[in-house]
Amino acid sequence: MTADGTTPSETRQRGLAKMSEVYGWDFADGPGAHFAVTADHLFADIWSRPGLSVRDRRLLLLGAVTAQGHLDIAEIQIGAALRNEELSEEQLREIALFLCHYVGWPAGTKLDGAVGKVIAQERRKK
C-alpha cells in the first residue's frame, strides 16, 4: 500500500489514465524508474490534484517551458491542447504574443513558430 491507501498498481493505473487524458492518446506502462516517477508521482499525484484543471496546468506549463526555451516540450503541449479542444488556434497565438512581454520577445516568437508548426501538422492529419 502507498501513503494514500492505494496499491502501487492502482497508482500506476491512475497515472496512466491521467497521462492519456492530458495528452489525448492511450499510454501503456513503461519501463524504468523515470517512467515510474512520471506516471506514479507527476500524473497520478500532481496532475490529479484538485484546484486546477488540466487546461490551467497546461497554460502554466506552456509559460514555464517557453521561458526555459524548451520548445520541443511546448510542441507536445500545443498538440495536446488542440486535440483535447482546451485551447483554440487563436488562443495559442495570443498566448505566444502575451508571453513575448514576460519571457522575452525571442522566446515568445519561438513559441509562436511552434504554434504555427503544430497547427499545420494537426491540419494535415485531418
Side-chain angles (χ1 to χ4, degrees):
M1 292 286 228
T2 62
D4 66 359
T6 61
T7 66
S9 177
E10 290 169 330
T11 299
R12 177 64 51 90
Q13 290 309 307
R14 192 171 73 245
L16 293 172
K18 182 56 81 171
M19 289 171 80
S20 296
E21 175 189 345
V22 168
Y23 291 108
W25 66 74
D26 289 332
F27 273 86
D29 203 356
H34 184 81
F35 186 87
V37 171
T38 300
D40 300 349
H41 176 67
L42 180 58
F43 285 93
D45 293 337
I46 302 305
W47 275 82
S48 298
R49 290 179 54 80
L52 295 174
S53 68
V54 169
R55 181 183 185 273
D56 295 338
R57 292 173 200 281
R58 192 172 323 278
L59 287 167
L60 291 165
L61 184 52
L62 280 169
V65 298
T66 300
Q68 296 174 15
H70 297 298
L71 277 295
D72 53 337
I73 297 170
E75 289 179 11
I76 294 167
Q77 297 305 319
I78 292 162
L82 289 168
R83 279 189 302 280
N84 292 342
E85 298 180 345
E86 296 163 354
L87 297 166
S88 68
E89 294 176 5
E90 296 78 21
Q91 289 171 318
L92 287 162
R93 294 282 190 187
E94 188 64 27
I95 290 166
L97 182 60
F98 180 79
L99 286 175
C100 281
H101 294 83
Y102 288 92
V103 301
W105 207 264
T109 300
K110 287 179 184 176
L111 179 63
D112 187 66
V115 167
K117 176 183 173 183
V118 174
I119 287 170
Q121 289 171 341
E122 291 296 318
R123 285 181 180 167
R124 282 193 296 273
K125 291 179 184 177
K126 293 179 180 180

